[in-house]
Amino acid sequence: HWPGVRPIPIAFEARVIIASNAARLAEDILGDNERALGLLTPLLEEGLATMAVCAEVERLGRSVQARTAVEQALREAVRLSDEDAQRAELLVRLGEVQLQLGELSGALESYRDAFDAGGGAAAIAGLEQVLANTDGRASDSLLDALDAAYVSTEDRAGQARVVERRLGQAEEGDRLG
């Protein structure tokens, strides 16, 4: 900023276009995906992102192993999505990134929401991954989510695994007999 000069407000659409074009130039001409990502992430942080910006941030973030940026882009894309099938797919990808970041409770929530939005087998596989990555006692909310998914898909073997896990976790005093 220069003294005595007021910044000119840039319209939302213009800001998105400028940042997107600058990111494309940074990637295509300079070969600098990190810089391209750095040009787009402020749009997410300021609530100016579109689905296209979210997709670009996800792609660039994956290319430079910036999982936090990928998570942020997917969260915003989920918020912007108005279609259940698309939201379910985004939530599954969000859960995958959260698992990579070690955020098991976030991954559980994402996969559970993905299943509720119609994510089917991919969401169940994600819930199973959360369980596989759980050290020690699995939370009741995780086991409840898996059980509900197995019941709705009529997966008796899955239901049996949940019951088996619950029994294995039960304290001696909690067991019947």
Side-chain angles (χ1 to χ4, degrees), residues 120-143:
I124 293 172
L127 289 169
E128 290 170 341
Q129 282 297 318
V130 173
L131 182 60
N133 284 284
T134 300
D135 293 326
R137 185 177 178 86
S139 69
D140 287 337
S141 58
L142 172 56
L143 295 176

Side-chain angles (χ1 to χ4, degrees), residues 79-97:
R79 189 185 72 74
L80 293 171
S81 177
D82 57 3
E83 182 185 308
D84 280 348
Q86 180 185 45
R87 185 177 298 111
E89 180 185 325
L90 291 165
L91 284 162
V92 166
R93 293 201 319 258
L94 176 59
E96 291 167 354
V97 172

